[in-house]
Amino acid sequence: MSSAKVVVVGAGIVGVSAAIWLRRSGFEVTLLDRGAPGEGASYGNGCILASCSIIPVTGLGLIPNAPKYLLDPDFPLFLRWSYLPKLMPWLTRYLAHANAEDTARISKGLVPIVGDSLEQHQALSRGTRAEKWVRPSKYSFVYKDRAAFEKDSFAWDLRREAGFSPEIIEGHAVQDAEPILAKDMQFLARLDNHGFILNPGDYVKSLVTVLEDEGGAFVQALVKDFDLSGGEITAVETDQGRFECARAVLAAGVWSKQLTDKLGLNIPLEAERGYHIIFKSPSETPNNPMMLTAGKFVATAMDQGLRCAGVVEFGGLSEKKSPAPLALLRKKVKSVFPSLEADSEEEWLGFRPAPTDSLPLIGEIGSSGVYTAFGHHHIGLTGGPKSGRMVADLIADRPSNHDMSVYEPKRFM
Ligand SMILES: Cc1cc2nc3c(=O)[nH]c(=O)nc-3n(C[C@H](O)[C@H](O)[C@H](O)COP(=O)(O)OP(=O)(O)OC[C@H]3O[C@@H](n4cnc5c(N)ncnc54)[C@H](O)[C@@H]3O)c2cc1C
């Protein structure tokens, strides 16, 4: 099997990671994308290798508070109301997970995907031209005060259980550690052994050249369907013709649903729309990537400037940016970084692939030879390399140390 042909669909961080680990396992690998690599969600994320990101958005308290959050113009949760009827079936299933038991279960499932992210990115890129993009760092959660931190105790208890115990910095020491922060930010919970990617889009492009250096191929082609006429995959069909293969990996992010629908799977996957603003040539930057908890956005000093990314908006895959989320993000940035100035600003909208239970789908669809590797919502940059490695292990028939049933692609049927 190790000399067999594998086609990987989607050149985001998940697909390219799978492609590289498959190639390193001896497979003949072709990676396909309808566009240039690294231009989906993997382009514009917050750059953070957030190993401690094991708490789903549903968390606790989303159900009682959802209506209030949606109506509060100061809360970073938005809905395009005309999209609500289409969203309802997904939303109902999503909100059903907003309880303590499911949050703890989801969190346990996310730990193997994100827990050793920095090491996974280093293993993927070590000794290659992509290595320079991976930066070790601390990761800080910024709170107004201790009371605000304590309100988050359910999440921090789960993080501690998973081995993430923060160093606490309080009072004026906060501004000594991070001079960019407003004076009324008086509490930092800072974690070691995290990291960030200096430019996620260029990193993915560079990983694609690593794949080519190592004997794999990248082809620009729009995938239309899988040929399963014999019950097992024999080819991937594209606008550039058929790509014969013995195995295929579907890693097309939020767009994976268009292809799994064709396979009759009907996976509850929605786009959680998110935004970034890059402050170019900024007058100041944080010393480490940070999560601004009150505004629910992250800020990272990356090679294009200071990138501030966040907001959850439901509204499907329309490429049109909504003004309100960007205005709120800008306002929140101003309140925590009051003296920040920039030469110019750049705005971006992207689509997080969100399954209702906030766990990625990693596994073979029945015995079709088609493997899923998508559904990484807020943690895809962090968990891409590990997910790619898991898929390569499955295809190479290597036993896993993890309970892979958690990620079963047919679990929604
Ligand atoms: C605002 C924002 C901030 C974020 N911040 C972080 C963060 O700090 N840390 C973190 O870990 N995660 C973060 N994320 C999440 C992360 O970006 C995603 O989970 C991750 O990029 C998903 O990667 P992917 O490879 O699955 O999908 P994508 O990067 O979207 O790649 C999918 C690829 O498939 C291709 N494709 C689609 N359909 C087809 C087809 N039919 N044929 C061929 N190709 C196709 C697309 O062109 C695309 O290149 C953030 C997301 C957003 C929106």
Side-chain angles (χ1 to χ4, degrees):
M1 184 61 196
S2 70
S3 62
K5 286 187 183 172
V6 183
V7 169
V8 179
V9 181
I13 185 62
V14 179
V16 73
S17 299
I20 290 176
W21 284 122
L22 281 160
R23 181 66 203 129
R24 289 178 186 168
S25 304
F27 292 96
E28 199 181 313
V29 180
T30 304
L31 175 63
L32 305 178
D33 201 290
R34 62 188 177 184
E39 296 196 343
S42 298
Y43 169 80
N45 51 61
C47 315
I48 300 180
L49 306 183
S51 282
C52 66
S53 279
I54 54 170
I55 317 297
V57 172
T58 39
L60 269 184
L62 190 61
I63 288 193
N65 292 315
K68 187 178 87 190
Y69 289 160
L70 282 173
L71 296 171
D72 179 353
D74 230 26
F75 195 85
L77 179 65
F78 293 85
L79 170 67
R80 293 181 137 200
W81 292 94
S82 59
Y83 191 71
L84 186 57
K86 214 166 167 209
L87 182 70
M88 259 337 258
W90 178 91
L91 190 61
T92 314
R93 291 174 79 169
Y94 181 68
L95 291 176
H97 295 292
N99 60 68
E101 199 184 317
D102 282 7
T103 304
R105 180 181 55 80
I106 293 165
S107 154
K108 275 206 173 64
L110 289 175
V111 171
I113 306 282
V114 297
D116 58 352
S117 175
L118 179 61
E119 289 88 332
Q120 293 294 334
H121 280 272
Q122 287 169 333
L124 185 71
S125 63
R126 188 171 296 119
T128 73
R129 56 174 104 200
E131 193 172 22
K132 64 177 184 189
W133 301 109
V134 182
R135 300 293 163 100
S137 72
K138 297 174 191 278
Y139 180 32
S140 302
F141 284 65
V142 181
Y143 293 91
K144 214 170 166 53
D145 51 27
R146 179 169 279 272
F149 171 68
E150 282 170 358
K151 262 193 169 169
D152 251 2
S153 63
F154 179 77
W156 281 106
D157 288 348
L158 285 173
R159 288 193 191 108
R160 278 196 195 89
E161 238 174 75
F164 301 106
S165 292
E167 169 195 4
I168 300 301
I169 301 170
E170 267 186 285
H172 297 312
V174 167
Q175 280 68 33
D176 293 341
E178 290 291 1
I180 189 173
L181 284 171
K183 298 266 178 297
D184 58 348
M185 293 295 127
Q186 292 282 294
F187 195 99
L188 278 192
R190 195 167 68 181
L191 292 155
D192 284 330
N193 199 24
H194 277 65
F196 67 102
I197 300 296
L198 200 56
N199 182 323
D202 283 355
Y203 175 53
V204 171
K205 289 185 199 309
S206 165
L207 285 170
V208 170
T209 62
V210 170
L211 172 71
E212 290 170 331
D213 291 345
E214 296 184 10
F218 171 74
V219 178
Q220 200 162 321
L222 172 73
V223 174
K224 297 188 159 171
D225 212 342
F226 299 104
D227 184 349
L228 291 172
S229 47
E232 246 192 282
I233 181 92
T234 51
V236 171
E237 287 165 2
T238 80
D239 64 350
Q240 303 298 313
R242 278 166 65 83
F243 288 78
E244 310 274 335
C245 60
R247 297 284 182 265
V249 178
L250 177 54
V254 74
W255 300 278
S256 300
K257 184 169 167 53
Q258 294 159 7
L259 291 163
T260 50
D261 280 356
K262 291 195 171 171
L263 300 175
L265 270 187
N266 193 20
I267 289 163
L269 187 78
E270 257 301 332
E272 269 189 32
R273 300 156 65 88
Y275 292 84
H276 82 216
I277 301 174
I278 302 176
F279 296 89
K280 302 222 165 181
S281 309
S283 53
E284 50 194 340
T285 55
N287 291 323
N288 286 290
M290 46 174 70
M291 154 62 77
L292 287 303
T293 58
K296 301 220 180 310
F297 71 90
V298 295
T300 307
M302 45 94 63
D303 78 347
Q304 295 168 300
L306 174 59
R307 185 181 279 186
C308 295
V311 182
V312 169
E313 182 187 44
F314 293 113
L317 285 167
S318 153
E319 296 281 347
K320 200 164 171 238
K321 298 186 188 84
S322 308
L326 281 162
L328 181 64
L329 182 55
R330 198 165 266 115
K331 180 177 155 189
K332 297 277 181 189
V333 170
K334 188 78 204 152
S335 72
V336 288
F337 304 146
S339 41
L340 173 67
E341 282 173 21
D343 279 358
S344 59
E345 295 174 11
E346 190 181 291
E347 298 172 345
W348 173 85
L349 158 68
F351 307 98
R352 305 177 188 96
T356 44
D357 65 1
S358 302
L359 284 164
L361 293 90
I362 303 171
E364 185 175 6
I365 303 174
S367 46
S368 62
V370 180
Y371 291 73
T372 57
F374 62 85
H376 291 73
H377 54 98
H378 294 240
I379 50 101
L381 179 67
T382 307
K386 182 64 172 285
S387 305
R389 211 170 202 174
M390 285 172 158
V391 173
D393 285 345
L394 286 172
I395 294 180
D397 244 339
R398 282 188 294 264
S400 169
N401 293 330
H402 307 297
D403 172 10
M404 295 300 293
S405 67
V406 178
Y407 317 113
E408 166 61 47
K410 287 178 112 178
R411 65 184 183 269
F412 301 103
M413 292 185 92

